[in-house]
Amino acid sequence: VYGNGVSEQTIGSFLKSHPHRFTIATKGGIRRDPQTKVRSFDNSEQHLREALDKSLHDLGVEHVALYYIHRRDQRIPIEDLMQTLVKFKEQGKIGAIGFSEVAPSSLRRAHAVHAVAAVQSEYSLWSRMPELGMIQACRELGVAFVPFSPLARGMFAVRAPDPANFSDSDFRKNNPRFMAPNLSHNLAIVDGFRSYALDRGTTPAALAIAWILHQGEHLIPIPGTRSARHLAEDAGAADLILSAGDLEEIERLLPCGFAHGDRYSEAQLPGVERYC
């Protein structure tokens, strides 16, 4: 659904002229009305098959290594959904099964039917709900935990985000944490972390990712960027070794629950399974 298919088409175009050296993951399960832009969730076999086939076509591949259910459709038991995904795997269209923004209880039910390879949820120094059960469940079951928005949607950049520069389509424009008065509180708190990273000779983005990597070997953060330079900085996080003192100072600067405002607005929240 990203860019109404443009993201996959762009990657597919790139793959045509470059050797395939990538592990490709994509998602299905969300419908978006092209006229009203209203989204709904559909985990039916018919819809997922149509969505997957379109993804394969746009990517120009016959197989993706990992296929996530983007959001759960609560009308369909997760056990039945897993049977659909197992069919796709047996047909060679996908290599592994994943879920996005589900609860630990849902993961356990799904994993009892067939191995789940990965769970993707928002996790960063300012969004730490997965510590209340999901990270532990993934470790126990041998499932990769894939934090998205590990850089707090740009909050951990060297230059703090300015809402005046947000486009009308920017997710953050209507996000509580980026709206007054929450934003000013958040900027003031994160500024101390930013200074600590720069004084340490690294970037706040690299330090934030390094912190995630220190939470467990099964965590695989996926930072987003439009810059090759920023991508290189993010990848450098893997080389950062944090001492116990570093981790203690980061916790002091950004204590669990420090963020002002909900991570989603009411309009952005539907489909996310809340378990605490």
Side-chain angles (χ1 to χ4, degrees):
V1 296
Y2 299 124
N4 199 26
V6 171
S7 292
E8 290 178 325
Q9 293 163 12
T10 300
I11 293 171
S13 176
F14 179 85
L15 291 176
K16 285 181 181 179
S17 56
H18 293 76
H20 189 305
R21 297 182 293 108
F22 306 97
T23 298
I24 297 178
T26 192
K27 306 178 192 175
I30 292 182
R31 286 186 181 272
R32 182 163 289 154
D33 188 293
Q35 301 299 323
T36 65
K37 308 301 182 183
V38 173
R39 67 177 187 173
S40 58
F41 311 114
D42 188 346
N43 292 175
S44 67
E45 180 173 348
Q46 179 180 347
H47 172 69
L48 289 175
R49 187 175 296 279
E50 292 172 356
L52 176 56
D53 286 344
K54 183 178 185 303
S55 291
L56 295 174
H57 175 268
D58 289 347
L59 289 164
V61 298
E62 296 180 351
H63 168 95
V64 290
L66 175 61
Y67 196 64
Y68 290 101
I69 295 302
H70 202 157
R71 291 289 187 272
R72 268 201 68 197
D73 176 352
Q74 298 294 334
R75 301 169 299 176
I76 298 176
I78 200 166
E79 292 83 1
D80 295 347
L81 170 57
M82 284 298 290
Q83 295 294 349
T84 294
L85 297 170
V86 170
K87 285 183 186 178
F88 296 163
K89 185 174 180 179
E90 291 173 343
Q91 292 164 1
K93 294 187 175 187
I94 67 175
I97 296 167
F99 285 89
S100 178
E101 294 277 37
V102 295
S105 57
S106 295
L107 169 61
R108 293 181 187 282
R109 287 172 57 192
H111 198 77
V113 176
H114 184 281
V116 175
V119 170
Q120 183 181 137
S121 293
E122 182 175 0
Y123 182 58
S124 71
L125 277 162
W126 85 341
S127 292
R128 294 174 64 172
M129 189 177 76
E131 293 177 3
L132 300 178
M134 181 54 77
I135 291 176
Q136 297 89 331
C138 286
R139 180 187 295 112
E140 174 191 334
L141 299 173
V143 177
F145 180 71
V146 182
F148 71 78
S149 297
L151 303 180
R153 305 186 188 279
M155 184 62 75
F156 296 143
V158 171
R159 180 178 298 176
D162 182 356
N165 298 324
F166 293 169
S167 68
D168 289 341
S169 62
D170 194 311
F171 175 91
R172 299 170 295 180
K173 195 168 184 72
N174 298 306
N175 185 272
R177 292 185 178 177
F178 290 91
M179 300 171 69
N182 294 328
L183 179 63
S184 60
H185 292 297
N186 291 329
L187 288 173
I189 296 170
V190 172
D191 192 55
F193 173 76
R194 184 176 291 108
S195 296
Y196 178 70
L198 296 174
D199 290 345
R200 200 179 182 279
T202 187
T203 64
L207 189 59
I209 294 172
W211 177 86
I212 288 177
L213 293 173
H214 278 71
Q215 304 311 305
E217 294 184 354
H218 63 302
L219 275 71
I220 308 172
I222 48 172
T225 181
R226 301 184 183 189
S227 161
R229 179 173 62 85
H230 288 164
L231 180 61
E233 290 176 1
D234 295 346
D239 298 323
L240 288 179
I241 305 300
L242 304 185
S243 67
D246 290 326
L247 295 170
E248 183 177 338
E249 180 63 9
I250 291 170
E251 191 72 29
R252 186 189 70 81
L253 291 166
L254 301 180
C256 187
F258 81 86
H260 289 242
D262 291 341
R263 73 183 182 100
Y264 283 151
S265 68
E266 288 301 317
Q268 294 164 343
L269 186 62
V272 174
E273 291 192 334
R274 290 179 281 185
Y275 47 93
C276 296

